[in-house]
Amino acid sequence: MGVQINPSILSADFANLERELGRIAGADAVHVDVMDNHFVPNLTLGLPVVRRIAQVSAMPLDVHLMIEDADRWAPAYADAGAASVTFHAEAAQAPVRLARELRSAGVRAAVAVRPATPVEPLYDLLGEIDMVLVMTVDPGFGGQAFIDGMLAKVRRLRAAVTAAGATVDIQVDGGVSASTIARIARAGANVFVAGSAVYGEADPADAIARLRLLGDAPYEV
Ligand code: DX5
Ligand code: ZN
C-alpha cells in the first residue's frame, strides 16, 4: 500500500467545484466532507451534490460522512457513486452490518474516530473494513491545527493492523501539511487528507506532489 493524497474539497471554491477538481491533478482520490449540522456544527453538502461530483470527477470519491444515523444514510452514498464511504464509529449503531452492506454495494467501507474516541474497539472489526480514519482535529471545519497526541493512536493502530495481518489503510484527516505529514507517515498512516494545505496553495497540484514526497516515509512502529 503506497502513500495516497486525498485533497478535501471542503477548502475548494464551492461555486466552482468542477473547475476545482481540475486543479488537483496527481491526487489519488477526492475527499468529500458531508456534514449535517448535527453530528458536527457545520453543514456542507449531501447526496445530490455527491452524485454530480461523481459524474464529473476523473478521480474516485472518498466520502467522509460526518452525519448522525449513519446506518440509515451511508448506503445511499455508495449508490451515489462513491468509491469509499467512511462513517463515524460514534454515529453507527451496527458498524459491522453497515460495513458489510457497503461492501456488498461494491464500495470500500471505512470507520472514523473523533480525537476523543478510542480506536481499540475497532481492532476486532479489522477484517470487516478497508480503512480506519483517525481524525487529527475535532471534525467540522478545515484549517484547524493538527493534534499531536493522535500520533500515538496512529502508531497503536498500525501495530494492531500489522499484528492482525489485515490489509486496512490508515487515513488521517485534519491539520495535514508539509510540516506534519512526515511524522504522521512515520507513525503508520498511509492515506492523507489535506484541505487547506492543498487548496490554500497557489498551485494545488504542486502541493500534492510535495506532500506525496514528504509522506513517503517508512513506518517506525
Ligand atoms: C474536517 C474535515 C476535513 C477538512 C480538513 O472535519 O473532515 O476533511 O477538510 O481540512 P484541513 O486539511 O485544512 O485540516
Ligand atoms: Zn474529512
Side-chain angles (χ1 to χ4, degrees), residues 38 51 53 62-63 82 97 106 130 152 160 167 175 185 193 204 206:
H38 293 274
R51 207 174 281 123
I53 296 171
D62 162 32
V63 173
R97 189 164 64 219
D130 300 292
T167 46
V193 176
D206 182 60

Side-chain angles (χ1 to χ4, degrees), residues 8 10 31 33 35 64 66 135 139-143 173-175 193-196:
S8 166
L10 185 61
H31 185 82
D33 289 302
M35 305 185 189
H64 176 194
M66 284 159 278
M135 286 304 301
F141 304 94
D173 182 8
V193 176
S196 46

